[in-house]
């Protein structure tokens, strides 16, 4: 069973600052299978990054993804007010999907 | 606008059953794999089940096998989740989600969710 671990659990930052979120996978996976989502309170998740580093349609370029193997990173270059939310990584393996527990980015 | 709209949630007693529906619009529903994802109150996301575009291939989360049945009707542009023997810990918002074309392996469109509450 593949397990995803996200760190930190909570990230307290100010608007305009850079955010770096980590997703660690319990075994090496294909980069094609790693995605990131943002979920604002009371809303459904929204796809940000797929294939570890490709931005989804309509996602601004302040969001970038990187990594390979077991370690992946989501970077938000300059936090906007709408970016204070929870972020989930997701991995596809075998025939199932697994989500990480999430990182909450809140206002410092 | 591409849209998914869930319905069928509500309050049900432990041991009861519920059938969730997801209506798709403004895209070729029959061309996409579809999924259900749930989120318990204040918790993270949990993948529930997936079904291939034609309905041939179906997969379930191991912890939920045997109590759930995912299905689809491409003529009606609809996705379904039949849930039986419901337990208190099945209480969650249930989202339907479209799987982006391979090899992306990500969910690019989500519905707004439907709340299922299991309580006596």
């Amino acid at each position: 069973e593949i397990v995803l671990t996200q760190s930190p659990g909570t990230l307290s930052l100010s608007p305009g600052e850079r955010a770096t979120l980590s997703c660690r996978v319990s075994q090496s996976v294909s980069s094609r299978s790693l995605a990131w989502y943002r979920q604002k309170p009371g809303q459904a998740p929204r796809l940000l990054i797929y294939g570890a580093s490709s931005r989804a349609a309509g996602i601004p370029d302040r969001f970038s993804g990187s990594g390979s193997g077991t370690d992946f990173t989501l970077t938000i270059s300059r936090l906007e007010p709408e970016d204070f939310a929870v972020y989930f990584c997701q991995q596809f393996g075998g025939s199932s999907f697994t989500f990480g527990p999430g990182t909450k980015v809140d206002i410092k | 606008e591409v849209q998914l709209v869930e319905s069928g949630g509500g309050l049900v007693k432990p041991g009861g059953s519920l059938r969730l529906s997801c209506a798709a619009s403004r895209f070729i529903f029959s061309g996409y794999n579809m999924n259900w994802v749930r989120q318990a109150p204040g918790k993270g996301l949990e993948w529930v089940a997936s079904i291939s575009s034609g309905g041939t291939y179906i997969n379930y989360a191991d912890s939920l096998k045997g109590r759930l049945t995912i299905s689809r009707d491409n003529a009606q542009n609809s996705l379904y989740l039949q849930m039986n023997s419901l337990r208190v810990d099945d209480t969650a918002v249930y989202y339907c989600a479209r799987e982006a074309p391979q090899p992306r392996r990500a969910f690019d469109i989500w519905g707004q969710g439907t709340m299922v509450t299991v309580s006596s």
Side-chain angles (χ1 to χ4, degrees), chain B residues 50-71:
Chain B
S50 67
I51 186 167
S52 61
S53 57
T56 303
Y57 302 102
I58 288 173
N59 290 288
Y60 298 100
D62 286 343
S63 60
L64 298 169
K65 275 179 187 173
R67 298 193 298 118
L68 304 181
T69 303
I70 188 173
S71 63

Side-chain angles (χ1 to χ4, degrees), chain A residues 32 37 39 44 90 92 95-96, chain B residues 39 47 59 95 104 107 111:
Chain A
R32 292 187 302 179
Y37 300 83
Q39 186 178 32
Q90 175 206 46
F92 174 81
S95 57
S96 65
Chain B
Q39 187 171 36
W47 172 77
N59 290 288
Y95 296 102
R104 297 179 194 180
F107 301 156

Side-chain angles (χ1 to χ4, degrees), chain B residues 13-93:
Chain B
K13 288 182 167 48
S17 297
L18 213 54
R19 189 193 197 208
L20 306 182
S21 300
C22 172
S25 58
R26 299 186 178 86
F27 69 97
I28 302 174
F29 180 71
S30 60
Y32 291 85
N33 297 345
M34 296 296 296
N35 291 261
W36 287 98
V37 177
R38 71 181 185 179
Q39 187 171 36
K43 303 298 184 182
L45 300 170
E46 179 183 19
W47 172 77
V48 170
S50 67
I51 186 167
S52 61
S53 57
T56 303
Y57 302 102
I58 288 173
N59 290 288
Y60 298 100
D62 286 343
S63 60
L64 298 169
K65 275 179 187 173
R67 298 193 298 118
L68 304 181
T69 303
I70 188 173
S71 63
R72 65 190 298 161
D73 183 340
N74 285 344
Q76 297 293 322
N77 293 330
S78 293
L79 176 72
Y80 305 102
L81 185 68
Q82 176 68 42
M83 303 189 294
N84 300 324
S85 303
L86 282 162
R87 308 195 291 231
V88 172
D89 62 1
D90 292 319
T91 296
V93 175

